[in-house]
Amino acid sequence: MICMRCGGCCTYLDVAIIDPAAIQADGRSDPSKPLIHKPAGKICPYLAFSGEVANCSIHHLPCYEQTPCQQFEQVGREDDFCILGSYLRAASQKRSDAVP
Ligand code: SF4
Ligand code: SF4
């Protein structure tokens, strides 16, 4: 799956992420600290944007390896573009339109 860097999954999904307090100076995480829950609708603390391009600020660190984010995949071919982002944005828009 090719990520379009929209930041949708980092915002609209429930995700287990590395606890910021667990990241050590060498970029590894303290193995005694568990992953923490980032709830759906809350922007991940590691997400930043350059214009409209989403960046994960821990993507390059060793602590990112083997995380649920790193292992995230979709059904489909490896070279298909992500279809989740547009769905998540539309679903979120529908929810906010429904709020009186
Ligand atoms: S850790 Fe990175 S990839 Fe995972 S939700 Fe946060 S910003 Fe997105
Ligand atoms: S929803 Fe898809 S395109 Fe958007 S950041 Fe997540 S994986 Fe990438």
Side-chain angles (χ1 to χ4, degrees), residues 18-43:
I18 296 283
D19 182 346
I23 301 178
Q24 304 175 118
D26 63 359
R28 297 180 192 285
S29 63
D30 178 344
S32 71
K33 293 202 166 69
L35 296 175
I36 61 170
H37 175 224
K38 181 212 79 65
K42 185 172 177 200
I43 294 174

PDB file of all heavy atoms in Angstrom, residues 18-43:
ATOM      1  N   ILE A  18       3.658   4.447  20.645  1.00  0.00           N
ATOM      2  CA  ILE A  18       4.724   4.525  21.647  1.00  0.00           C
ATOM      3  C   ILE A  18       4.426   5.680  22.617  1.00  0.00           C
ATOM      4  O   ILE A  18       4.067   6.777  22.179  1.00  0.00           O
ATOM      5  CB  ILE A  18       6.082   4.810  20.946  1.00  0.00           C
ATOM      6  CG1 ILE A  18       6.479   3.657  20.015  1.00  0.00           C
ATOM      7  CG2 ILE A  18       7.174   5.111  21.950  1.00  0.00           C
ATOM      8  CD1 ILE A  18       7.022   2.440  20.718  1.00  0.00           C
ATOM      9  N   ASP A  19       4.571   5.423  23.874  1.00  0.00           N
ATOM     10  CA  ASP A  19       4.432   6.472  24.891  1.00  0.00           C
ATOM     11  C   ASP A  19       5.587   7.471  24.706  1.00  0.00           C
ATOM     12  O   ASP A  19       6.755   7.063  24.721  1.00  0.00           O
ATOM     13  CB  ASP A  19       4.507   5.801  26.273  1.00  0.00           C
ATOM     14  CG  ASP A  19       4.321   6.791  27.407  1.00  0.00           C
ATOM     15  OD1 ASP A  19       4.393   8.014  27.172  1.00  0.00           O
ATOM     16  OD2 ASP A  19       4.121   6.313  28.539  1.00  0.00           O
ATOM     17  N   PRO A  20       5.281   8.756  24.495  1.00  0.00           N
ATOM     18  CA  PRO A  20       6.381   9.726  24.331  1.00  0.00           C
ATOM     19  C   PRO A  20       7.393   9.658  25.486  1.00  0.00           C
ATOM     20  O   PRO A  20       8.592   9.871  25.273  1.00  0.00           O
ATOM     21  CB  PRO A  20       5.665  11.080  24.302  1.00  0.00           C
ATOM     22  CG  PRO A  20       4.296  10.760  23.770  1.00  0.00           C
ATOM     23  CD  PRO A  20       3.954   9.400  24.321  1.00  0.00           C
ATOM     24  N   ALA A  21       6.924   9.323  26.675  1.00  0.00           N
ATOM     25  CA  ALA A  21       7.822   9.240  27.839  1.00  0.00           C
ATOM     26  C   ALA A  21       8.738   8.020  27.768  1.00  0.00           C
ATOM     27  O   ALA A  21       9.695   7.908  28.542  1.00  0.00           O
ATOM     28  CB  ALA A  21       7.005   9.199  29.126  1.00  0.00           C
ATOM     29  N   ALA A  22       8.453   7.099  26.844  1.00  0.00           N
ATOM     30  CA  ALA A  22       9.253   5.873  26.752  1.00  0.00           C
ATOM     31  C   ALA A  22      10.416   6.004  25.776  1.00  0.00           C
ATOM     32  O   ALA A  22      11.276   5.128  25.713  1.00  0.00           O
ATOM     33  CB  ALA A  22       8.353   4.718  26.306  1.00  0.00           C
ATOM     34  N   ILE A  23      10.437   7.101  24.992  1.00  0.00           N
ATOM     35  CA  ILE A  23      11.489   7.225  23.973  1.00  0.00           C
ATOM     36  C   ILE A  23      12.786   7.701  24.610  1.00  0.00           C
ATOM     37  O   ILE A  23      12.827   8.728  25.296  1.00  0.00           O
ATOM     38  CB  ILE A  23      11.049   8.171  22.843  1.00  0.00           C
ATOM     39  CG1 ILE A  23       9.773   7.638  22.188  1.00  0.00           C
ATOM     40  CG2 ILE A  23      12.158   8.306  21.793  1.00  0.00           C
ATOM     41  CD1 ILE A  23       9.210   8.509  21.087  1.00  0.00           C
ATOM     42  N   GLN A  24      13.827   6.925  24.397  1.00  0.00           N
ATOM     43  CA  GLN A  24      15.126   7.200  25.002  1.00  0.00           C
ATOM     44  C   GLN A  24      16.009   7.999  24.033  1.00  0.00           C
ATOM     45  O   GLN A  24      15.668   8.173  22.866  1.00  0.00           O
ATOM     46  CB  GLN A  24      15.783   5.873  25.396  1.00  0.00           C
ATOM     47  CG  GLN A  24      14.875   5.056  26.314  1.00  0.00           C
ATOM     48  CD  GLN A  24      15.423   3.679  26.641  1.00  0.00           C
ATOM     49  OE1 GLN A  24      15.681   3.358  27.794  1.00  0.00           O
ATOM     50  NE2 GLN A  24      15.589   2.862  25.621  1.00  0.00           N
ATOM     51  N   ALA A  25      17.147   8.456  24.548  1.00  0.00           N
ATOM     52  CA  ALA A  25      18.025   9.333  23.765  1.00  0.00           C
ATOM     53  C   ALA A  25      18.504   8.677  22.466  1.00  0.00           C
ATOM     54  O   ALA A  25      18.740   9.364  21.469  1.00  0.00           O
ATOM     55  CB  ALA A  25      19.216   9.757  24.615  1.00  0.00           C
ATOM     56  N   ASP A  26      18.617   7.356  22.465  1.00  0.00           N
ATOM     57  CA  ASP A  26      19.100   6.675  21.257  1.00  0.00           C
ATOM     58  C   ASP A  26      17.969   6.344  20.280  1.00  0.00           C
ATOM     59  O   ASP A  26      18.184   5.669  19.273  1.00  0.00           O
ATOM     60  CB  ASP A  26      19.871   5.394  21.633  1.00  0.00           C
ATOM     61  CG  ASP A  26      18.989   4.366  22.338  1.00  0.00           C
ATOM     62  OD1 ASP A  26      17.781   4.637  22.557  1.00  0.00           O
ATOM     63  OD2 ASP A  26      19.511   3.284  22.670  1.00  0.00           O
ATOM     64  N   GLY A  27      16.759   6.807  20.587  1.00  0.00           N
ATOM     65  CA  GLY A  27      15.633   6.579  19.679  1.00  0.00           C
ATOM     66  C   GLY A  27      14.926   5.259  19.917  1.00  0.00           C
ATOM     67  O   GLY A  27      13.924   4.968  19.255  1.00  0.00           O
ATOM     68  N   ARG A  28      15.433   4.478  20.846  1.00  0.00           N
ATOM     69  CA  ARG A  28      14.735   3.226  21.181  1.00  0.00           C
ATOM     70  C   ARG A  28      13.724   3.526  22.275  1.00  0.00           C
ATOM     71  O   ARG A  28      13.800   4.555  22.940  1.00  0.00           O
ATOM     72  CB  ARG A  28      15.730   2.163  21.659  1.00  0.00           C
ATOM     73  CG  ARG A  28      16.715   1.792  20.583  1.00  0.00           C
ATOM     74  CD  ARG A  28      17.723   0.750  20.991  1.00  0.00           C
ATOM     75  NE  ARG A  28      18.779   0.684  19.983  1.00  0.00           N
ATOM     76  CZ  ARG A  28      18.622   0.115  18.793  1.00  0.00           C
ATOM     77  NH1 ARG A  28      17.498  -0.468  18.472  1.00  0.00           N
ATOM     78  NH2 ARG A  28      19.606   0.129  17.911  1.00  0.00           N
ATOM     79  N   SER A  29      12.790   2.585  22.459  1.00  0.00           N
ATOM     80  CA  SER A  29      11.825   2.823  23.532  1.00  0.00           C
ATOM     81  C   SER A  29      12.174   1.961  24.735  1.00  0.00           C
ATOM     82  O   SER A  29      12.748   0.879  24.601  1.00  0.00           O
ATOM     83  CB  SER A  29      10.404   2.519  23.054  1.00  0.00           C
ATOM     84  OG  SER A  29      10.281   1.174  22.710  1.00  0.00           O
ATOM     85  N   ASP A  30      11.825   2.471  25.894  1.00  0.00           N
ATOM     86  CA  ASP A  30      12.035   1.741  27.141  1.00  0.00           C
ATOM     87  C   ASP A  30      11.108   0.526  27.130  1.00  0.00           C
ATOM     88  O   ASP A  30       9.882   0.680  27.111  1.00  0.00           O
ATOM     89  CB  ASP A  30      11.686   2.690  28.297  1.00  0.00           C
ATOM     90  CG  ASP A  30      11.824   2.040  29.651  1.00  0.00           C
ATOM     91  OD1 ASP A  30      11.885   0.791  29.709  1.00  0.00           O
ATOM     92  OD2 ASP A  30      11.846   2.783  30.649  1.00  0.00           O
ATOM     93  N   PRO A  31      11.663  -0.694  27.092  1.00  0.00           N
ATOM     94  CA  PRO A  31      10.812  -1.884  26.972  1.00  0.00           C
ATOM     95  C   PRO A  31       9.886  -2.095  28.162  1.00  0.00           C
ATOM     96  O   PRO A  31       8.925  -2.865  28.080  1.00  0.00           O
ATOM     97  CB  PRO A  31      11.817  -3.038  26.828  1.00  0.00           C
ATOM     98  CG  PRO A  31      13.124  -2.504  27.275  1.00  0.00           C
ATOM     99  CD  PRO A  31      13.094  -1.008  27.162  1.00  0.00           C
ATOM    100  N   SER A  32      10.144  -1.411  29.270  1.00  0.00           N
ATOM    101  CA  SER A  32       9.270  -1.599  30.440  1.00  0.00           C
ATOM    102  C   SER A  32       7.995  -0.759  30.317  1.00  0.00           C
ATOM    103  O   SER A  32       7.066  -0.912  31.106  1.00  0.00           O
ATOM    104  CB  SER A  32      10.017  -1.228  31.726  1.00  0.00           C
ATOM    105  OG  SER A  32      10.214   0.170  31.796  1.00  0.00           O
ATOM    106  N   LYS A  33       7.963   0.148  29.336  1.00  0.00           N
ATOM    107  CA  LYS A  33       6.777   1.006  29.190  1.00  0.00           C
ATOM    108  C   LYS A  33       5.899   0.496  28.047  1.00  0.00           C
ATOM    109  O   LYS A  33       6.353   0.336  26.918  1.00  0.00           O
ATOM    110  CB  LYS A  33       7.201   2.453  28.922  1.00  0.00           C
ATOM    111  CG  LYS A  33       7.898   3.111  30.115  1.00  0.00           C
ATOM    112  CD  LYS A  33       7.817   4.620  30.011  1.00  0.00           C
ATOM    113  CE  LYS A  33       8.171   5.301  31.306  1.00  0.00           C
ATOM    114  NZ  LYS A  33       9.583   5.188  31.681  1.00  0.00           N
ATOM    115  N   PRO A  34       4.619   0.258  28.340  1.00  0.00           N
ATOM    116  CA  PRO A  34       3.727  -0.272  27.299  1.00  0.00           C
ATOM    117  C   PRO A  34       3.322   0.800  26.287  1.00  0.00           C
ATOM    118  O   PRO A  34       3.499   2.005  26.531  1.00  0.00           O
ATOM    119  CB  PRO A  34       2.506  -0.738  28.100  1.00  0.00           C
ATOM    120  CG  PRO A  34       2.499   0.124  29.322  1.00  0.00           C
ATOM    121  CD  PRO A  34       3.947   0.449  29.626  1.00  0.00           C
ATOM    122  N   LEU A  35       2.765   0.339  25.162  1.00  0.00           N
ATOM    123  CA  LEU A  35       2.177   1.278  24.207  1.00  0.00           C
ATOM    124  C   LEU A  35       1.005   2.004  24.873  1.00  0.00           C
ATOM    125  O   LEU A  35       0.418   1.498  25.830  1.00  0.00           O
ATOM    126  CB  LEU A  35       1.668   0.522  22.974  1.00  0.00           C
ATOM    127  CG  LEU A  35       2.713  -0.208  22.121  1.00  0.00           C
ATOM    128  CD1 LEU A  35       2.027  -1.014  21.020  1.00  0.00           C
ATOM    129  CD2 LEU A  35       3.726   0.755  21.529  1.00  0.00           C
ATOM    130  N   ILE A  36       0.685   3.174  24.375  1.00  0.00           N
ATOM    131  CA  ILE A  36      -0.469   3.907  24.893  1.00  0.00           C
ATOM    132  C   ILE A  36      -1.535   4.015  23.807  1.00  0.00           C
ATOM    133  O   ILE A  36      -1.252   3.839  22.620  1.00  0.00           O
ATOM    134  CB  ILE A  36      -0.081   5.313  25.418  1.00  0.00           C
ATOM    135  CG1 ILE A  36       0.513   6.178  24.298  1.00  0.00           C
ATOM    136  CG2 ILE A  36       0.853   5.209  26.611  1.00  0.00           C
ATOM    137  CD1 ILE A  36       0.698   7.637  24.687  1.00  0.00           C
ATOM    138  N   HIS A  37      -2.739   4.347  24.237  1.00  0.00           N
ATOM    139  CA  HIS A  37      -3.879   4.407  23.317  1.00  0.00           C
ATOM    140  C   HIS A  37      -4.060   5.821  22.792  1.00  0.00           C
ATOM    141  O   HIS A  37      -4.163   6.770  23.572  1.00  0.00           O
ATOM    142  CB  HIS A  37      -5.135   3.953  24.073  1.00  0.00           C
ATOM    143  CG  HIS A  37      -6.393   4.076  23.285  1.00  0.00           C
ATOM    144  ND1 HIS A  37      -7.551   4.585  23.804  1.00  0.00           N
ATOM    145  CD2 HIS A  37      -6.674   3.752  21.999  1.00  0.00           C
ATOM    146  CE1 HIS A  37      -8.494   4.571  22.882  1.00  0.00           C
ATOM    147  NE2 HIS A  37      -7.991   4.069  21.785  1.00  0.00           N
ATOM    148  N   LYS A  38      -4.082   5.951  21.468  1.00  0.00           N
ATOM    149  CA  LYS A  38      -4.479   7.228  20.857  1.00  0.00           C
ATOM    150  C   LYS A  38      -5.890   7.020  20.327  1.00  0.00           C
ATOM    151  O   LYS A  38      -6.109   6.238  19.407  1.00  0.00           O
ATOM    152  CB  LYS A  38      -3.533   7.592  19.709  1.00  0.00           C
ATOM    153  CG  LYS A  38      -3.924   8.927  19.075  1.00  0.00           C
ATOM    154  CD  LYS A  38      -3.631   8.998  17.610  1.00  0.00           C
ATOM    155  CE  LYS A  38      -4.593   8.313  16.700  1.00  0.00           C
ATOM    156  NZ  LYS A  38      -5.960   8.881  16.664  1.00  0.00           N
ATOM    157  N   PRO A  39      -6.866   7.695  20.918  1.00  0.00           N
ATOM    158  CA  PRO A  39      -8.250   7.443  20.502  1.00  0.00           C
ATOM    159  C   PRO A  39      -8.586   8.028  19.130  1.00  0.00           C
ATOM    160  O   PRO A  39      -7.965   9.003  18.694  1.00  0.00           O
ATOM    161  CB  PRO A  39      -9.086   8.107  21.602  1.00  0.00           C
ATOM    162  CG  PRO A  39      -8.184   9.041  22.319  1.00  0.00           C
ATOM    163  CD  PRO A  39      -6.766   8.643  22.035  1.00  0.00           C
ATOM    164  N   ALA A  40      -9.589   7.450  18.498  1.00  0.00           N
ATOM    165  CA  ALA A  40     -10.085   7.960  17.213  1.00  0.00           C
ATOM    166  C   ALA A  40     -10.523   9.411  17.361  1.00  0.00           C
ATOM    167  O   ALA A  40     -11.156   9.779  18.348  1.00  0.00           O
ATOM    168  CB  ALA A  40     -11.262   7.112  16.747  1.00  0.00           C
ATOM    169  N   GLY A  41     -10.145  10.250  16.419  1.00  0.00           N
ATOM    170  CA  GLY A  41     -10.544  11.659  16.435  1.00  0.00           C
ATOM    171  C   GLY A  41      -9.552  12.552  17.139  1.00  0.00           C
ATOM    172  O   GLY A  41      -9.663  13.774  17.076  1.00  0.00           O
ATOM    173  N   LYS A  42      -8.573  11.947  17.817  1.00  0.00           N
ATOM    174  CA  LYS A  42      -7.545  12.755  18.478  1.00  0.00           C
ATOM    175  C   LYS A  42      -6.254  12.657  17.654  1.00  0.00           C
ATOM    176  O   LYS A  42      -5.816  11.557  17.302  1.00  0.00           O
ATOM    177  CB  LYS A  42      -7.312  12.231  19.896  1.00  0.00           C
ATOM    178  CG  LYS A  42      -6.346  13.085  20.667  1.00  0.00           C
ATOM    179  CD  LYS A  42      -6.265  12.672  22.116  1.00  0.00           C
ATOM    180  CE  LYS A  42      -5.219  13.543  22.792  1.00  0.00           C
ATOM    181  NZ  LYS A  42      -4.721  12.969  24.016  1.00  0.00           N
ATOM    182  N   ILE A  43      -5.672  13.791  17.350  1.00  0.00           N
ATOM    183  CA  ILE A  43      -4.464  13.789  16.514  1.00  0.00           C
ATOM    184  C   ILE A  43      -3.299  13.181  17.286  1.00  0.00           C
ATOM    185  O   ILE A  43      -3.067  13.522  18.447  1.00  0.00           O
ATOM    186  CB  ILE A  43      -4.136  15.224  16.060  1.00  0.00           C
ATOM    187  CG1 ILE A  43      -5.245  15.731  15.139  1.00  0.00           C
ATOM    188  CG2 ILE A  43      -2.791  15.295  15.353  1.00  0.00           C
ATOM    189  CD1 ILE A  43      -5.114  17.183  14.738  1.00  0.00           C
TER     190      ILE A  43
END
